[in-house]
């Protein structure tokens, strides 16, 4: 499982590099042909990781319910982050993978509610949800890079 944690942390570090130099306006702009923006994608990654690992394990997510409701699957950008709020979001983006690894190693993920994803992968344990989340993060990393080309 250490490899999966390494990949998650590495992908989040790469994403942070993509955010460098972007203004708040850039983060919230939705280019023609896209249905969301970079800010939404970043929040969606934080939210999805928490839902797939914690919520489906019967544990409380480590981000706010407000963030979850505004950025879960099936939502569209409605939130305009302030600079301070986006900094807090980036702290979650970078910090939560360490917490996940610590919690996993502490054995807190004892239960799991089976979840069929929209890609056809059925998640039935956190052991499957962790690598699946990495796949999901890769998709959104690509979307963020694509959006940047149109800014």
């Amino acid at each position: 499982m250490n490899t999966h944690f390494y990949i998650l942390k590495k992908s989040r570090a790469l994403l942070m590099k993509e955010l460098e130099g972007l203004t708040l306006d850039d983060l919230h702009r939705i280019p023609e042909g896209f249905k969301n923006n970079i800010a939404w994608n970043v929040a969606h990654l934080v939210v999805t990781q928490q839902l797939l690992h914690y919520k489906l394990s019967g544990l409380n997510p480590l981000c706010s319910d407000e963030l979850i409701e505004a950025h879960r699957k099936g939502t569209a950008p409605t939130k305009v982050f302030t600079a301070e709020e986006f900094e807090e979001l980036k702290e979650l983006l970078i910090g939560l993978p360490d917490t996940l690894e610590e919690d996993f190693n502490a054995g807190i993920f004892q239960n799991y509610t089976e979840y069929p994803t929209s890609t056809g992968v059925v998640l039935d344990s956190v052991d499957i949800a962790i690598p699946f989340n990495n796949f999901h993060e890769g998709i959104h990393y690509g979307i963020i890079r694509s959006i940047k080309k149109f800014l």
Side-chain angles (χ1 to χ4, degrees):
M1 195 58 72
N2 288 339
T3 302
H4 297 298
F5 295 126
Y6 170 77
I7 291 169
L8 177 58
K9 291 173 192 179
K10 184 68 173 173
S11 70
R12 296 268 175 112
L14 289 169
L15 177 52
M16 288 294 290
K17 288 239 182 244
E18 294 295 329
L19 300 177
E20 289 176 5
L22 297 178
T23 66
L24 275 177
D25 186 51
D26 292 337
L27 294 170
H28 292 96
R29 187 173 304 133
I30 302 173
E32 188 174 331
F34 290 86
K35 60 183 178 180
N36 51 47
N37 56 38
I38 291 172
W40 182 91
N41 275 276
V42 172
H44 177 70
L45 290 177
V46 169
V47 163
T48 300
Q49 183 267 315
Q50 289 295 295
L51 294 176
L52 292 180
H53 300 148
Y54 288 84
K55 187 75 169 175
L56 289 173
S57 293
L59 303 168
N60 291 325
L62 306 176
C63 62
S64 72
D65 290 340
E66 175 185 270
L67 192 69
I68 291 171
E69 290 310 311
H71 299 92
R72 69 183 324 140
K73 179 182 171 185
T75 64
T78 56
K79 167 94 174 139
V80 176
F81 292 93
T82 65
E84 181 179 90
E85 289 170 331
F86 198 74
E87 285 303 314
E88 291 171 5
L89 182 62
K90 290 192 305 187
E91 288 174 16
L92 289 173
L93 185 78
I94 289 302
L96 287 175
D98 289 329
T99 306
L100 173 66
E101 184 174 22
E102 291 166 9
D103 288 345
F104 181 85
N105 290 334
I108 73 164
F109 299 102
Q110 296 297 313
N111 302 306
Y112 201 85
T113 301
E114 187 174 283
Y115 177 71
T117 69
S118 58
T119 61
V121 176
V122 177
L123 307 179
D124 61 6
S125 71
V126 77
D127 293 332
I128 305 253
I130 290 170
F132 177 82
N133 182 68
N134 287 346
F135 162 73
H136 175 261
E137 299 233 351
I139 291 169
H140 286 275
Y141 175 73
I143 292 169
I144 289 167
R145 288 189 54 150
S146 293
I147 290 172
K148 277 185 70 177
K149 291 179 181 180
F150 293 92
L151 296 180

